[in-house]
Amino acid sequence: MRMKNKKALGIAMVITACTFWGISGLFAKGLFNVSSSITSLWVTQSRMTAAGILLVLFSLIKGDHPFRIFKSPHDTWVIFAYGIFGLVPVQFAYFMVVQYGNASIATILQFVGPFFIIAYQATFRHIPPRRIEIICAIIAFIGVFTIATHGRFNELAVTPAILIWGLISAIGVATNTLIPQKMLREGRVHSLVITAWGLLFSGIVLLAIHPAQPRVPNLPVVWFCWLGVLIIGTLIPFQLANNALKYIDATTFSLMDAFEPLSATIGSVLIFHLNMTGADIIGSILVIIAVLALNIRIPNHVPGNKS
């Protein structure tokens, strides 16, 4: 295959992956609309546990030796921390915003996660932010503030809970990227193995913390949406994202991230009749532009970890 064709294939794969991640929020919103007994916690627990088991089995079939990590207590602990402090806030907080808001605002708020990476690097690694990063952060803040107020700056248009959970999910994006970063760079453990065990560890811990399960209606629409969250939101996009890196670099990958909030927003408007004001559109565009400009400057972006 020609180099140009390989790059086009890689771009198509990552666009599909990011679009699927955005669409998965729509499936979750469909679940929450079916019954109030379906909670963000149940969706997170069941999705993580099922996806973790399936990915461990898949990595075993691929010959990635997923059980080898237990020979290294350090690697096991890092992956456990990645699951608990990275994947849990990314997943649970995101679904909380979807449940009480919509997939569009959940994805937009989560999209500002890279700015928490900059804050962490400045605070703990003493890496001062560049001018472009400061400018992008200001633009993103203006965008989020515009969405939160619908342009009416004297009152909030969304509940404080939605904002708080959204920012927690954005912090999760940062921890989700930072915790396994060294392990991924060193290449000791395959990214599929890291994500598989991270999902399974976090799912098991959430089940241990809250073992009581809600009475989920046994309806076809429920299992259709749940499978959508699992397959469209985890299994397919993860594989597409990892395979795309064979053909494109991480910077190109990061530029395609914009398809996630775009697909979530368009889907919310078309399926759930989300009414977006002019301020919402402007705010969303500002956030997307800011993060895209920022990602050009972050070559070590770690894709595929939104599982």
Side-chain angles (χ1 to χ4, degrees):
M1 188 183 293
R2 287 176 151 186
M3 186 63 67
K4 185 181 291 187
N5 292 339
K6 287 182 177 179
K7 185 173 182 179
L9 176 61
I11 290 174
M13 291 169 74
V14 75
I15 287 175
T16 303
C18 291
T19 301
F20 278 14
W21 275 319
I23 291 173
S24 70
L26 304 177
F27 282 106
K29 187 63 176 177
L31 278 173
F32 300 138
N33 286 350
V34 170
S35 172
S36 59
S37 65
I38 299 176
T39 64
S40 303
L41 181 58
W42 177 78
V43 173
T44 307
Q45 289 172 324
S46 58
R47 178 202 191 188
M48 283 182 158
T49 305
I53 292 171
L54 290 173
L55 288 177
V56 167
L57 291 174
F58 185 67
S59 64
L60 187 64
I61 294 169
K62 279 186 62 183
D64 292 328
H65 306 289
F67 294 98
R68 189 179 290 171
I69 66 159
F70 296 109
K71 294 181 179 179
S72 169
H74 176 265
D75 287 350
T76 304
W77 164 247
V78 170
I79 296 175
F80 181 82
Y82 158 68
I84 302 305
F85 302 111
L87 291 176
V88 168
V90 163
Q91 297 298 311
F92 178 61
Y94 172 80
F95 285 133
M96 286 292 288
V97 180
V98 173
Q99 182 174 357
Y100 294 109
N102 56 71
S104 176
I105 192 171
T107 310
I108 289 292
L109 291 175
Q110 192 178 72
F111 205 56
V112 302
F115 295 104
F116 287 100
I117 297 176
I118 294 172
Y120 171 83
Q121 290 176 331
T123 305
F124 297 102
R125 295 183 180 174
H126 308 293
I127 302 174
R130 291 183 286 266
R131 183 179 300 175
I132 184 65
E133 294 172 339
I134 295 173
I135 294 172
C136 288
I138 294 172
I139 294 173
F141 172 79
I142 293 172
V144 170
F145 188 70
T146 302
I147 294 170
T149 60
H150 285 344
R152 298 186 295 270
F153 300 137
N154 60 335
E155 62 181 46
L156 282 176
V158 298
T159 65
I162 288 176
L163 279 179
I164 292 170
W165 283 115
L167 291 177
I168 290 173
S169 73
I171 293 172
V173 170
T175 54
N176 183 64
T177 300
L178 291 167
I179 293 174
Q181 192 173 58
K182 184 179 179 181
M183 184 180 291
L184 286 166
R185 282 178 176 173
E186 293 174 351
R188 296 194 317 274
V189 184
H190 195 279
S191 60
L192 174 60
V193 175
I194 294 173
T195 302
W197 284 117
L199 284 166
L200 188 53
F201 286 158
S202 52
I204 291 172
V205 168
L206 287 178
L207 285 170
I209 292 173
H210 194 278
Q213 298 295 296
R215 291 185 178 180
V216 177
N218 188 19
L219 300 172
V221 65
V222 170
W223 301 114
F224 173 78
C225 289
W226 184 84
L227 286 173
V229 171
L230 176 67
I231 298 172
I232 302 296
T234 305
L235 301 180
I236 293 177
F238 177 79
Q239 290 305 310
L240 287 173
N242 275 276
N243 288 324
L245 288 174
K246 298 176 184 177
Y247 310 117
I248 60 175
D249 57 32
T251 300
T252 304
F253 186 107
S254 67
L255 292 175
M256 299 301 106
D257 269 356
F259 282 89
E260 184 176 351
L262 285 174
S263 61
T265 300
I266 293 171
S268 296
V269 171
L270 295 177
I271 298 173
F272 297 108
H273 307 292
L274 174 66
N275 182 25
M276 293 191 71
T277 66
D280 293 332
I281 295 172
I282 291 171
S284 299
I285 291 172
L286 287 175
V287 171
I288 292 172
I289 289 175
V291 177
L292 290 184
L294 178 68
N295 275 332
I296 296 175
R297 303 282 177 158
I298 303 181
N300 59 351
H301 176 76
V302 181
N305 287 344
K306 300 182 183 181
S307 316

